Amino acid sequence: MRTLILDTSGPFTTVLVATEASLSAASILQGRPAEHLHEQIQTSLSCLHIEPPDLDHIAVVVGPGSWTGLNIGVTAAKTLAQVLEIPLSPIRTLDALVTGHVKPAWALMNAGRGRCYYVRYPRLTHDERQTMAVAPLDTVSNQIQTDSNSVTILEYGNTFENQLCGDSRYQSVPRLLPESLIATMKKSRLMEGDAIKALKPAYLQPTLAERDATS
Amino acid sequence: MLILGIDTSCDDTGAAVVRNGDEVLSNVIASQYKAHDRFGGIVPVIAAREHTAKINFILESALEEAGVSFADLDAVAVSHHQGLLLALVVGVSAAKSIALACNIPLIGIHHLEGHIYSNLMGRSETLQFPFLCLTVAGGHTLLLKVVSHGTYELLGHTRDDAAGEVFDKVARHLGLGYPGGAAIEKLAENGNPEAYDFPRPLINRPDGEFSFSGLKTAVIAAIDRDPNLNKADLCASFQQAVVDLLISKTIRMAGEHQLTQITLAGGVALNLPLRTALKHAADDYGYQIFTPRSDLCMDNGAMVAGAAYFLFQERGPDPIGIDTRANAPLGSMGVRYRHDSKYK
């Protein structure tokens, strides 16, 4: 089983090809997914001497993350799955962030406008699908600081670095790692048919225009 | 040659299948006006979100309606230049995936070329180069000399607002919702076009330059001055001012550049008073008028596929890494018609 995995959620554009559960090819470039993503896919497949119809499965990071990056990555993955008639698996950014790390764990990510996305994963869980939420940075920071000493704090990026510097529980992660993406992909649900076409990035917040209109 | 055309340059998600640049087998458009209506204009991030949600359903409908499958396609074309950047990247991403998965050529089209070529679709025998093209839409107002496939000379453009944009802003001020062009045209049917003496900026200048911001300000001031005004009269007078400006400059440029065939393109080309007035003016001067089919006036995938058919023969396929730009020069002569800062 060959799986193409796409991640355009952050500052790096990652394209992986996994055969069964092992990494076969990887292409990681900084920025500009609109131009680079499909070139990276082409290069990754070429170096394995395979063509797109040889793929059996696609997985894509659906967010949260860069608004434009996710629109590009999710659209690319959905369309490839639609044309090739193969299943698609959505990967949540924060699930991939904590995969392989000791739990309990906080997974954090800057959401802009002074807020952050967060999930607190309990110690024992067979299912990574904990509820993801968005809240002001200070609120989440206060909750973290009163949490147990054994908790792991992982941030995708480094927004919390100043507030949590010196806290030995804190780790900043600049990009999602290939092994984490592959392990998370294995646990993700398979989508087929209309469910693929209906897949949207994980937009947890209304746009500024919608927020202003509501208020 | 069977081409799938995709357009996500603004607030319409369009996909179409066109055979040999002429025969439109399907032309599916999902409009987002309900998503933007309450804001009185297009919100780019919402447009991008809606495109991402709908694009794959629209692709499926376009193929089903045409009775073909992805495997039957010979090429995929997409608007990759000119429009809302956040929106363009969605269509481009889908088109690149199709090109890659089907191993077919990718053809990147400047959105304005799509509008220009909507006139050639089904008429490539009768419409001959060079011809004049008046492109009027929500984002553009310009006069071009279309010299040959992919070669254009800019004869004039708006210095500020586009004509379609002014229609939308006046409609918003009158509480008519979005999009405003059709609402104003409907109200104007029962109004007196001479009730208000609105300005016609630059109308007497001997060039192809347009300006609509002064007209917009005058109309909005008139609305603000009199809350009980006759909306029909105001709409008719405003519409007449826009039509006068567009027609006078078009006829002048046709004469100056000795172009006897005039084409109209863009969403405002649907405006019936504009079409009628242009026809009458052209008859007076012995010019021939070509207007696109009404389903090809608004943003759509068919015009992109149509343009791609002709331009592919001139310049071949594009690489899979083609860029996406909100504001890009047009054609082989690099026509620039608006400031880069407009989209920043």
Side-chain angles (χ1 to χ4, degrees):
Chain A
M1 172 124 159
R2 286 201 187 96
T3 302
L4 177 71
I5 304 172
L6 310 179
D7 173 24
T8 53
S9 63
F12 292 88
T13 301
T14 300
V15 173
L16 310 173
V17 181
T19 308
E20 303 311 329
S22 304
L23 182 63
S24 303
S27 169
I28 301 168
L29 288 178
Q30 192 157 15
R32 300 175 71 86
E35 279 85 36
H36 294 155
L37 177 64
H38 290 81
E39 284 179 335
Q40 288 178 251
I41 297 171
Q42 204 170 38
T43 308
S44 303
L45 298 180
S46 298
C47 76
L48 295 173
H49 306 291
I50 61 171
E51 301 285 337
D54 298 321
L55 293 168
D56 303 300
H57 173 217
I58 293 176
V60 63
V61 175
V62 293
S66 154
W67 180 280
T68 303
L70 291 173
N71 283 333
I72 293 168
V74 170
T75 302
K78 288 200 297 181
T79 311
L80 282 170
Q82 183 182 13
V83 178
L84 299 171
E85 297 179 347
I86 55 178
L88 176 69
S89 294
I91 296 173
R92 298 195 315 172
T93 312
L94 299 185
D95 292 346
L97 183 67
V98 296
T99 297
H101 288 276
V102 176
K103 299 185 185 64
W106 284 85
L108 311 169
M109 185 178 178
N110 187 8
R113 308 178 217 164
R115 296 156 76 84
C116 77
Y117 303 110
Y118 69 96
V119 179
R120 190 185 185 284
Y121 294 85
R123 182 182 300 278
L124 294 171
T125 172
H126 297 293
D127 179 9
E128 299 284 12
R129 295 194 61 78
Q130 302 297 312
T131 305
M132 192 159 50
V134 60
L137 287 169
D138 290 344
T139 309
V140 178
S141 181
N142 290 339
Q143 285 184 53
I144 290 171
Q145 281 168 356
T146 56
D147 205 343
S148 92
N149 286 333
S150 61
V151 76
T152 309
I153 306 166
L154 295 158
E155 186 192 2
Y156 187 23
N158 57 5
T159 308
F160 280 89
E161 208 160 37
N162 287 338
Q163 293 179 50
L164 297 172
C165 75
D167 190 328
S168 59
R169 303 171 300 171
Y170 174 75
Q171 285 178 53
S172 166
V173 181
R175 63 179 170 83
L176 301 177
L177 301 174
E179 53 271 29
S180 304
L181 287 166
I182 292 170
T184 315
M185 171 271 290
K186 282 167 60 187
K187 289 183 282 188
S188 300
R189 69 203 152 100
L190 284 180
M191 302 173 91
E192 296 194 27
D194 278 355
I196 292 175
K197 295 182 213 101
L199 179 67
K200 297 174 195 168
Y203 309 114
L204 294 190
Q205 299 188 94
T207 64
L208 279 175
E210 287 166 320
R211 191 197 63 182
D212 293 346
T214 307
S215 63
Chain B
M1 185 177 191
L2 208 57
I3 301 180
L4 171 68
I6 299 172
D7 185 84
T8 59
S9 58
C10 196
D11 63 331
D12 291 320
T13 315
V17 180
V18 177
R19 180 175 284 132
N20 296 335
D22 275 348
E23 192 185 348
V24 180
L25 303 182
S26 66
N27 188 15
V28 181
I29 302 168
S31 176
Q32 301 177 3
Y33 73 90
K34 281 185 183 163
H36 302 280
D37 185 34
R38 64 181 162 143
F39 304 109
I42 298 157
V43 182
V45 287
I46 296 176
R49 187 178 68 193
E50 296 292 311
H51 287 313
T52 305
K54 288 176 184 164
I55 183 85
N56 298 89
F57 291 105
I58 298 304
L59 291 172
E60 183 182 50
S61 300
L63 293 175
E64 268 181 17
E65 211 171 282
V68 300
S69 69
F70 283 111
D72 298 320
L73 298 173
D74 297 306
V76 58
V78 64
S79 296
H80 73 127
H81 282 169
Q82 207 63 38
L84 303 171
L85 186 64
L86 300 185
L88 284 167
V89 295
V90 177
V92 171
S93 185
K96 287 180 176 183
S97 285
I98 294 166
L100 199 61
C102 299
N103 194 23
I104 55 176
L106 173 70
I107 309 165
I109 295 294
H110 191 293
H111 176 70
L112 274 188
E113 283 186 317
H115 280 303
I116 295 164
Y117 274 80
S118 62
N119 282 290
L120 274 160
M121 294 175 72
R123 299 205 192 99
S124 49
E125 300 292 315
T126 50
L127 182 58
Q128 300 293 319
F129 295 114
F131 59 85
L132 182 68
C133 183
L134 169 65
T135 304
V136 211
H140 321 278
T141 302
L142 67 159
L143 276 164
L144 291 165
K145 178 180 176 181
V146 183
V147 181
S148 61
H149 287 300
T151 306
Y152 317 94
E153 277 177 36
L154 182 66
L155 305 184
H157 65 125
T158 180
R159 296 174 163 199
D160 37 58
D161 295 339
E165 188 181 352
V166 176
F167 268 102
D168 287 339
K169 284 178 178 166
V170 168
R172 181 166 67 183
H173 223 73
L174 285 169
L176 301 178
Y178 170 85
I184 286 177
E185 185 182 344
K186 190 166 174 49
L187 262 178
E189 281 172 10
N190 301 315
N192 173 8
E194 294 176 3
Y196 292 84
D197 185 19
F198 288 129
R200 272 83 165 153
L202 307 186
I203 198 163
N204 292 319
R205 271 180 60 118
D207 58 23
E209 296 289 288
F210 297 98
S211 171
F212 294 98
S213 66
L215 170 62
K216 176 186 71 181
T217 304
V219 176
I220 288 174
I223 297 167
D224 291 343
R225 260 197 315 272
D226 180 7
N228 300 315
L229 55 75
N230 183 323
K231 286 185 180 178
D233 284 351
L234 181 120
C235 287
S237 303
F238 159 64
Q239 182 176 257
Q240 189 59 51
V242 174
V243 168
D244 287 350
L245 280 166
L246 294 171
I247 301 295
S248 65
K249 296 284 182 168
T250 303
I251 295 297
R252 186 172 299 155
M253 286 300 103
E256 192 174 315
H257 294 270
Q258 298 173 349
L259 301 166
T260 55
Q261 294 187 315
I262 300 173
T263 61
L264 188 58
V268 181
L270 277 173
N271 184 280
L272 192 58
L274 174 63
R275 284 182 177 231
T276 309
L278 187 59
K279 176 84 176 63
H280 289 158
D283 286 347
D284 287 345
Y285 289 86
Y287 299 144
Q288 239 184 319
I289 291 292
F290 294 84
T291 51
R293 281 168 31 179
S294 57
D295 60 326
L296 300 179
C297 285
M298 303 299 282
D299 293 348
N300 64 87
M303 67 181 194
V304 175
Y309 173 76
F310 295 105
L311 294 171
F312 178 69
Q313 293 167 45
E314 298 289 316
R315 61 190 191 204
D318 285 303
I320 199 81
I322 53 166
D323 64 349
T324 310
R325 289 171 63 181
N327 194 15
L330 173 69
S332 60
M333 290 168 68
V335 168
R336 287 191 169 273
Y337 56 92
R338 66 188 320 165
H339 301 295
D340 283 340
S341 59
K342 180 78 182 174
Y343 288 108
K344 286 179 183 167

